[in-house]
Amino acid sequence: MEKKQSILLSISGKKRVEVQFAEVDISSLKLGLFNPRFRHKSLKSEEEVEKDIWSETDIQPLFMSILQSKGISEPLFIKHDGTVEEGNRRLVCLRKIKQKYGDNSDIFPKDGYTKIPVYILPKDLDPVDLAVLLARLHVSGKKEWDALNQAEHIYDLKDVHGLTYEQMSNLIGMSRGKIFQKYWAYKETKDFLELHPDQPIIKYSFFEEAYKKSNVRDFLSSDSNKKEFYSWIINNKFD
């Protein structure tokens, strides 16, 4: 990796984070297996991750955008070993374009594969800084993760990294009410799965919908009512 320049990023309000901007060859980059969007899919290899991303319904517009632009303009965030922390979808699109048009420089220039703009994150990056950065980009930002991944990330920000609702709101630009909704729904889902581990985690959606209705939320404050609610979910009483 040829390092070009240092850039300071303000993320969590602590010491600014120094990242290195560089242009790298696509062959030096690896898909991140532990990205939040894959946590519940048990993907064990880059091949499985790439296949999963390529199957997403909204990946084709991104593919065409990169193809027509003849490259990417927004840098990926990567570790020192080339693992992508943010930008896995763009990397998959570049790989697919290279597979299809790699020998035709008139359609896609060689620089589009050999000079990928990246930000190289420091080895000693505070996990809170990384968590907040990803939240800005994918919980309240440009390309949102699905509701489940957002909620789990917010849960981690609070229960793993110790941020308050106010800190999260200020740092990622989302209302405290929305943050609490997602935290509550994910915590309730965890409680449900502890009692019923055979159920899929996508049942999260029932709890997020439950939170939006104050009478249902009040109903769930009772343990006996909560057990009844669980039985309705298990027995498919809801659409």
Side-chain angles (χ1 to χ4, degrees):
M1 295 183 184
E2 179 188 353
K3 294 182 179 177
K4 299 288 187 177
Q5 59 181 309
S6 295
I7 297 174
L8 294 176
L9 298 181
S10 299
I11 301 178
S12 64
K14 299 178 291 185
K15 181 181 179 181
R16 289 202 291 175
V17 176
E18 181 178 350
V19 301
Q20 299 289 336
F21 175 77
E23 291 181 335
V24 303
D25 191 285
I26 191 174
S27 63
S28 68
L29 300 175
K30 298 179 289 187
L31 294 170
L33 303 185
F34 303 103
N35 187 280
R37 72 165 70 240
F38 311 130
R39 283 177 182 167
H40 309 297
K41 296 184 178 182
S42 300
L43 303 178
K44 297 180 175 62
S45 68
E46 275 201 80
E47 290 75 15
E48 290 181 359
V49 170
E50 182 169 318
K51 183 178 179 180
D52 185 81
I53 291 176
W54 190 241
S55 69
E56 293 178 359
T57 56
D58 62 345
I59 196 68
Q60 289 303 317
L62 178 60
F63 174 89
M64 291 304 302
S65 173
I66 295 174
L67 180 63
Q68 295 299 317
S69 299
K70 300 188 184 304
I72 63 172
S73 57
E74 188 173 359
L76 313 180
F77 284 90
I78 70 172
K79 294 180 178 179
H80 275 261
D81 65 356
T83 301
V84 175
E85 286 284 7
E86 197 283 320
N88 284 289
R89 298 170 80 248
R90 275 166 281 156
L91 177 55
V92 167
C93 287
L94 285 169
R95 286 180 174 180
K96 294 297 183 181
I97 291 172
K98 185 176 183 181
Q99 290 171 11
K100 191 170 184 179
Y101 304 108
D103 296 328
N104 193 330
S105 59
D106 291 334
I107 294 179
F108 202 84
K110 184 179 179 181
D111 284 357
Y113 312 118
T114 60
K115 294 185 177 181
I116 309 301
V118 298
Y119 290 130
I120 306 170
L121 298 166
K123 292 181 180 179
D124 60 350
L125 180 67
D126 189 325
V128 175
D129 283 324
L130 177 59
V132 170
L133 176 63
L134 292 176
R136 280 185 186 158
L137 295 172
H138 297 295
V139 176
S140 61
K142 51 168 189 172
K143 171 56 183 173
E144 294 183 352
W145 289 322
D146 62 32
L148 172 62
N149 294 143
Q150 290 184 30
E152 182 181 19
H153 201 70
I154 284 173
Y155 181 89
D156 284 352
L157 284 173
K158 184 177 184 297
D159 282 25
V160 176
H161 300 295
L163 299 185
T164 66
Y165 295 118
E166 184 173 4
Q167 286 175 317
M168 285 189 281
S169 177
N170 292 335
L171 288 171
I172 69 176
M174 179 180 282
S175 71
R176 277 182 288 180
K178 189 74 171 178
I179 288 173
F180 183 77
Q181 170 188 313
K182 291 182 177 296
Y183 175 83
W184 181 92
Y186 190 79
K187 185 175 184 303
E188 291 294 327
T189 305
K190 281 176 61 69
D191 292 344
F192 168 69
L193 293 176
E194 284 176 5
L195 290 177
H196 304 283
D198 58 318
Q199 292 292 303
I201 197 167
I202 57 173
K203 299 292 186 179
Y204 162 85
S205 61
F206 292 117
F207 294 96
E208 183 156 25
E209 289 302 313
Y211 181 87
K212 296 175 184 178
K213 300 172 178 61
S214 59
N215 60 328
V216 179
R217 196 164 68 246
D218 292 341
F219 175 81
L220 291 176
S221 63
S222 161
D223 288 340
S224 60
N225 290 344
K226 191 175 293 188
K227 289 180 180 178
E228 187 172 8
F229 187 77
Y230 290 174
S231 71
W232 295 340
I233 292 175
I234 294 170
N235 295 310
N236 299 314
K237 297 297 184 181
F238 302 118
D239 292 334

